């Protein structure tokens, strides 16, 4: 029988073709079932008759262009972007003054994140049961920042020798993997303490759990809701999430028991954030399984965000090496004036140029293009009459705002000291600028629900970068330039294959 060789599909190609067809038709069906009730222009359609399902697929890789087109046209109003799992209402940041103080019962970040993460399948419902994981950051970590930064820095001192190359020759390193491990250790040191924070098991769990949760959620978001119960049973990443959760319980439950035993003995000194959480839990928050899930939620929020910021900052230093000497001079000066632990307490806030550089690096390379994100828990009518129906996904175009010439002059130019110079000229060198949020600076969200871990994140970044700048020369691998940023919907991450070359000074 005649057959054209190029049409003969291998079993794998056949399975992929069936998968692609299933994906396409299930999305088309969902497009018919799903109707948008928000009144705002929709962006992203190439032609008015283009099916919604195609626009949703395009958002996957071209989300940046679609948000940018919407922002250019409607930056003072609102527009809708179509993502595979939802239509999202992108509001002008001028609405933020009104919206930023609305409580979670009206506009909720956790409910939006729960939906983004497909929480009913990825076991993150713990975030809806209580807010112990944000209370611990607001009420203990940030007010006692100096104490916890000392612990984190002590862990970095060890990680520096364990995880960075010590050879005097140029050495190619997988800097993103190193950044994840180092940040996981520094964060683990304050949450779980020694020795848990450094064990291979906890490091693997705390780095892999967020990746597998994200992979599960992301895959599910590509398929319509009615397929999810079946799909959930088929995803290997979801089984891995369960494995990480079991492992986390094995590690964390003995730590909880140990702390409770100390409480009984009267030796109840709180030395880790886990201990604080155990003592301040209410209702089901105290359940050991829930407590260990909550530790994992904290890894989800903290490790990859901070590790990516660190990698991006190093890539930006190599791409713009003229910043390196002024930064080294600042670090030397501050270290001379504040040595030892004083460097952590008094010195870090004085690293104004480094702070400015980090803010600029984050301006170009945020972890998400749209922040903050919220879910309308009830119908809302804003002062200008804009109506937001219950269940609407609301977001702000954080990246576009900072790339707007009305907010940042000459926005396409990387200028690591722009914030520093602006503040110096205005005679108002404010400390920790990178963590300040306002309606134009949304990298950490804004308002009452803004990132509660940002002060700690900034301190971690400054501790690591000040030492790396002092002790290493750095460059890209021969013949390579700044790694590309990849996009998946509104999420951004550096090319996972990108490496860096370091040499001890
Ligand atoms: C460079 C690093 C980081 C970035 C860019 C970042 C960014 C963000 C953003 C954009 C939000 C959403 C805020 C909103 O909806 O208004 C958020 C929330 C959150 N972040 Fe961060 N974050 C970082 C580091 C951290 C760290 C180190 C921790 C923990 C120590 C943390 C804990 C959290 C938590 C718990 C939430 C949820 C808050 C809530 O439910 O109210 N983040 N973060």
């Amino acid at each position: 029988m005649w057959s054209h060789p190029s049409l003969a599909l291998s079993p794998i190609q056949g399975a992929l073709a069936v998968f692609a067809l299933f994906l396409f038709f299930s999305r088309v069906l969902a497009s018919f079932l799903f109707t948008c009730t928000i009144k705002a222009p929709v962006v992203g359609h190439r032609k008015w008759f283009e099916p919604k399902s195609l626009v949703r697929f395009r958002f996957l890789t071209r989300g940046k262009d679609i948000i940018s087109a919407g922002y250019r046209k409607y930056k003072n109003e609102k527009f809708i972007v179509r993502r595979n799992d939802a239509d999202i209402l992108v509001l002008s940041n001028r609405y933020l003054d009104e919206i930023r103080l609305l409580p979670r019962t009206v506009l909720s970040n956790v409910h939006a994140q729960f939906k983004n993460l497909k929480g009913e399948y990825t076991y993150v419902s713990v975030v809806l049961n209580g807010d112990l994981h944000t209370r611990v950051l607001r009420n203990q970590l940030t007010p006692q920042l100096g104490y916890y930064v000392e612990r984190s820095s002590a862990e970095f001192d060890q990680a520096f020798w364990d995880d960075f190359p010590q050879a005097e020759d140029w050495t190619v390193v997988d800097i993103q993997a190193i950044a994840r491990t180092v940040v996981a250790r520094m964060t683990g040191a304050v949450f779980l303490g020694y020795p848990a924070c450094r064990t291979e098991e906890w490091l693997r769990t705390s780095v892999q759990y967020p990746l597998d949760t994200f992979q599960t959620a992301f895959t599910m978001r590509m398929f319509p809701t009615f397929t999810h119960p079946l799909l959930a049973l088929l995803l290997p990443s979801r089984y891995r999430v369960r494995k990480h959760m079991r492992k986390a319980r094995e590690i964390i439950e003995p730590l909880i028991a140990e702390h409770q035993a100390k409480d009984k003995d009267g030796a109840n000194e709180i030395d880790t954030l886990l201990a604080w959480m155990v003592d301040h839990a209410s209702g089901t928050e105290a359940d050991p399984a829930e407590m260990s899930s909550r530790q994992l939620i904290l890894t989800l929020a903290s490790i990859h965000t901070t590790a990516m910021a660190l990698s991006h900052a190093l890539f930006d230093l190599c791409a713009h090496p003229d910043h390196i000497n002024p930064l080294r001079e600042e670090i030397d000066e501050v270290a001379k004036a504040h040595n030892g632990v004083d460097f952590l307490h008094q010195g870090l806030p004085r690293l104004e140029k480094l702070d400015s550089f980090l803010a600029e690096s984050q301006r170009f390379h945020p972890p998400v293009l749209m922040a903050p994100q919220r879910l309308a828990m009830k119908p809302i009518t804003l002062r200008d009459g804009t109506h937001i129906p219950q269940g609407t996904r609301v977001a702000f175009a954080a990246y576009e705002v900072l790339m707007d010439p009305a907010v940042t002059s000459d926005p396409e130019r990387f200028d690591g000291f722009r914030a520093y110079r602006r503040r110096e000229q205005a005679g108002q060198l404010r400390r920790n600028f990178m963590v300040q949020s306002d309606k134009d600076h949304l990298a950490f969200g804004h308002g009452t629900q803004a990132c509660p871990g940002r002060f700690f994140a900034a301190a971690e970044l400054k501790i690591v970068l000040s030492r790396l700048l002092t002790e290493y020369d750095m460059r890209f691998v021969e013949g390579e330039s700044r790694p590309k940023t990849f996009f998946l919907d509104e999420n951004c991450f550096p090319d996972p294959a990108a490496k860096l070359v370091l040499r001890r000074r």
Side-chain angles (χ1 to χ4, degrees), residues 36 38-44 59 63-82 87-93 95 370 392-398 400:
C36 173
I38 320 164
K39 287 204 181 75
V42 178
V43 295
F59 191 78
K64 181 167 177 275
D65 301 338
I66 293 175
I67 299 168
S68 179
Y71 183 84
R72 279 199 304 271
K73 213 163 166 191
Y74 305 110
K75 75 172 190 174
N76 294 317
E77 293 303 322
K78 51 196 166 293
F79 57 93
I80 291 168
V81 294
R82 295 196 192 287
D87 281 355
I88 300 176
L89 176 66
V90 184
L91 289 177
S92 161
N93 63 338
Y95 288 107
M370 295 194 296
T392 303
R393 310 287 285 274
V394 175
F396 295 84
E400 291 302 324

Side-chain angles (χ1 to χ4, degrees), residues 168-182:
E168 286 184 7
D169 286 345
W170 287 105
T171 311
V172 178
V173 294
D174 183 351
I175 192 66
Q176 298 180 71
I178 295 178
R180 286 190 288 268
T181 306
V182 168

Side-chain angles (χ1 to χ4, degrees), residues 389-456:
Q390 181 173 3
T392 303
R393 310 287 285 274
V394 175
F396 295 84
Y399 173 81
E400 291 302 324
V401 172
L402 278 175
M403 282 291 166
D404 185 335
V407 173
T408 309
S409 62
D410 198 3
E412 297 299 332
R413 190 169 63 87
F414 186 99
D415 175 359
F417 299 139
R418 70 167 74 229
Y420 175 82
R421 271 197 319 276
R422 196 174 51 230
R423 285 177 281 141
E424 193 185 38
Q425 279 157 16
Q428 43 176 241
L429 278 175
R430 288 181 297 175
R431 296 196 172 121
N432 291 318
F433 169 83
M434 81 169 286
V435 294
Q436 282 172 2
S437 77
D438 59 43
K439 70 179 181 39
D440 293 333
H441 296 89
L442 302 172
F444 290 104
H446 188 39
T448 47
Q449 301 175 54
C451 174
R454 61 194 191 277
F455 305 96
F456 180 68

Side-chain angles (χ1 to χ4, degrees), residues 471-482:
E471 304 209 18
Y472 284 100
D473 288 321
M474 51 193 80
R475 62 168 171 80
F476 294 124
V477 176
E478 204 63 48
E480 290 184 8
S481 55
R482 199 199 189 290

Side-chain angles (χ1 to χ4, degrees), residues 11 24 42 64 101 175 246 252 363 391 435:
F24 180 74
V42 178
K64 181 167 177 275
L101 299 177
I175 192 66
R246 280 196 300 275
I252 287 164
R363 183 171 77 82
V435 294

